[in-house]
Amino acid sequence: MRRQFLLNPDGSTPEGIDLGLLRGEGIALVLPTPLPRKPGMVAVEQDPQQDAHGVWRQVWSLEPAPEPQARPETASDPLASITPEQKAALLALLQGAPTS
């Protein structure tokens, strides 16, 4: 992504910003644009683009929102997923018997 400095919405710079330093470092002064919104989509910032008047503007693209991750179901029995052999070994361990 191009190095950029986002200006205030009215095109002004925040107080105390050294514009000469920004320009000297090749950092584009970019006008912000409204964040697009559409159900099921997310806005992703792209590289700024320079218009016909030489003004750099912020650019957004809309991409499909990622699918929510399914939450694993919480088993009511924490031993439900272990094998009978594992259950027997655990029971023997809890009872103090030697395991094979």
Side-chain angles (χ1 to χ4, degrees):
M1 181 165 275
R2 179 179 174 84
R3 291 175 54 190
Q4 64 182 18
F5 180 85
L6 201 57
L7 299 169
N8 291 327
D10 65 359
S12 66
T13 56
E15 191 173 319
I17 297 300
D18 185 345
L19 291 176
L21 177 65
L22 293 173
R23 288 187 179 117
E25 292 293 321
I27 298 172
L29 302 175
V30 178
L31 278 175
T33 59
L35 183 71
R37 297 183 189 282
K38 185 175 179 182
M41 305 292 276
V42 292
V44 178
E45 188 174 9
Q46 304 297 311
D47 283 334
Q49 292 182 356
Q50 199 170 24
D51 67 17
H53 303 288
V55 177
W56 288 97
R57 297 187 186 275
Q58 190 177 31
V59 175
W60 299 97
S61 67
L62 288 173
E63 297 180 4
E67 293 291 324
Q69 295 295 323
R71 299 176 104 193
E73 291 186 29
T74 305
S76 58
D77 179 3
L79 303 177
S81 64
I82 65 174
T83 66
E85 293 81 17
Q86 291 170 323
K87 286 181 185 179
L90 181 58
L91 185 57
L93 179 69
L94 293 174
Q95 292 175 343
T99 57
S100 51

